[in-house]
């Protein structure tokens, strides 16, 4: 069977899970840095009003004058906001203003397509665009799923973390039916994995079969190195290059290369 023809321009990947504390932002920053190490042109978009990705990459959200909020409301061009970060990636920052964006967009026609339109001109400048979604299934996450070709779902290897994934997949099914037929779930990314725990091993073995989805490999180990990295505005690939966490994200990024231009 011949390989599927890849669309021109950047591959847009949403990283989403409506549950908080699943290492979503860490995954976006780390995969972005790993793709940059592999020679890819990378753009990261912070779609969370908490602006954790923005802060993690060394940008103070309180000093951001214009953010993705202003792009989504048509008050700024995305290209005007791009910040080049030390990890070799570009960033479209977030700010607390984004907390009010959904309420404003709710009254607008075609509100789910605003981000897709905003990213259109940027696609020719990058190989991969990673969208860091907020921990909800609101308008901003719907925008990300509508704009993306692929979805990665970070999920800790804990049984309680299964709760909510089914709801996210129901939302994905609606998006592919009504808004974005090209959206494909790339897979579940196991995070916060403790290889010494029988429970974590059991959850890892169960998750792919339970949801009939690919499980990205290797699982991302639990390590304090991830908590240390944002303090210096870098990813773990820069602050602890040889750690198991950094090596795991590099391997996951390498496995995703066939999906990129």
């Amino acid at each position: 069977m011949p390989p599927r023809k890849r669309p021109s321009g950047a591959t847009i990947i949403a990283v989403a899970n409506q549950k908080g504390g699943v290492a979503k932002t860490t995954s976006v920053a780390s995969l972005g840095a790993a793709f940059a190490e592999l020679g890819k042109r990378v753009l990261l978009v912070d779609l969370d009003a908490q602006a954790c990705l923005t802060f993690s990459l060394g940008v103070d959200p309180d000093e951001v004058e214009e953010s993705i909020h202003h792009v989504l409301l048509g008050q700024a061009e995305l290209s005007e906001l791009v910040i080049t970060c030390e990890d070799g990636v570009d960033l479209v920052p977030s700010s607390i203003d984004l907390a009010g964006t959904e309420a404003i967009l709710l009254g607008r026609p075609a509100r789910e397509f605003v981000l897709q339109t905003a990213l259109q001109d940027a696609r020719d400048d990058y190989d991969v665009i990673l969208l860091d979604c907020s921990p909800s299934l609101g308008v901003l996450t719907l925008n990300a799923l509508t704009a993306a070709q692929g979805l990665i779902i970070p999920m800790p290897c804990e049984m309680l973390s299964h709760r909510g994934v089914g709801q996210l997949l129901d939302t994905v099914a609606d998006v592919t039916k009504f808004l974005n037929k090209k959206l494909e779930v790339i897979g579940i990314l196991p995070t916060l994995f403790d290889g010494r725990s029988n429970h974590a091993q059991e959850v890892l073995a169960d998750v792919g079969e339970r949801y009939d989805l690919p499980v990205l490999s290797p699982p991302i180990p639990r390590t304090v190195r991830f908590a240390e990295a944002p303090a210096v505005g870098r990813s773990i690939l820069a602050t602890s290059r040889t750690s198991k966490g950094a090596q795991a994200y590099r391997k996951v990024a390498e496995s995703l290369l066939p999906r990129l231009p």
Side-chain angles (χ1 to χ4, degrees), residues 210-222:
R210 178 183 293 253
Y211 297 110
D212 191 26
L213 289 174
V215 177
L216 302 180
S217 181
I220 308 302
R222 183 189 298 272

Side-chain angles (χ1 to χ4, degrees), residues 40 63 74-75 78 122 152 178 208 217:
K40 298 299 180 181
E63 296 183 0
Q75 299 171 0
L78 186 137
I152 293 175
F178 298 111
S217 181

Side-chain angles (χ1 to χ4, degrees), residues 25 28-29 42-47 51-61 64 66-68 78-86 88-94 126 130 132:
T25 295
V28 171
V42 182
L43 177 67
L44 309 183
V45 181
D46 192 345
L47 291 170
C52 292
L53 177 64
T54 300
F55 178 81
S56 296
L57 294 178
V59 179
D60 186 347
V64 171
E66 290 186 313
S67 70
I68 188 65
L78 186 137
S79 59
E80 299 170 353
L81 274 65
V82 171
I83 299 171
T84 299
C85 302
E86 288 189 59
V89 301
D90 284 353
L91 169 71
V92 177
S94 177
Y126 298 96
L130 296 177
D132 184 19

Side-chain angles (χ1 to χ4, degrees), residues 49-223:
Q50 298 179 68
C52 292
L53 177 64
T54 300
F55 178 81
S56 296
L57 294 178
V59 179
D60 186 347
D62 294 333
E63 296 183 0
V64 171
E65 295 183 2
E66 290 186 313
S67 70
I68 188 65
H69 162 82
H70 299 88
V71 174
L72 295 174
L73 298 187
Q75 299 171 0
E77 294 295 325
L78 186 137
S79 59
E80 299 170 353
L81 274 65
V82 171
I83 299 171
T84 299
C85 302
E86 288 189 59
D87 278 9
V89 301
D90 284 353
L91 169 71
V92 177
S94 177
S95 67
I96 192 62
D97 294 329
L98 198 62
T101 308
E102 291 202 1
I104 299 173
L105 289 179
L106 277 174
R108 297 195 175 184
R111 55 185 174 267
E112 296 91 354
F113 296 91
V114 174
L115 179 62
Q116 182 186 78
T117 302
L119 290 174
Q120 196 59 45
D121 290 341
R123 289 192 61 194
D124 290 336
D125 297 326
Y126 298 96
D127 299 310
V128 58
I129 300 174
L130 296 177
L131 309 177
D132 184 19
C133 300
S134 60
S136 74
L137 292 178
V139 173
L140 294 179
T141 298
L142 286 177
N143 262 266
L145 296 177
T146 301
Q149 295 140 299
L151 167 65
I152 293 175
I153 305 172
M155 197 195 82
C157 293
E158 302 167 353
M159 191 56 67
L160 286 177
S161 296
H162 281 308
R163 299 182 62 187
V165 173
Q167 186 181 359
L168 173 59
L169 294 177
D170 288 342
T171 300
V172 170
D174 288 341
V175 169
T176 55
K177 184 176 182 180
F178 298 111
L179 299 171
N180 180 9
K181 297 184 184 300
K182 296 181 179 180
L183 178 64
E184 178 184 355
V185 180
I186 294 173
I188 291 174
L189 176 61
T191 59
L192 304 175
F193 179 69
D194 183 354
R196 301 167 298 178
S197 164
N198 289 334
H199 176 68
Q201 297 278 8
E202 291 167 0
V203 171
L204 181 61
D206 171 73
V207 64
E209 183 177 349
R210 178 183 293 253
Y211 297 110
D212 191 26
L213 289 174
V215 177
L216 302 180
S217 181
I220 308 302
R222 183 189 298 272
T223 170

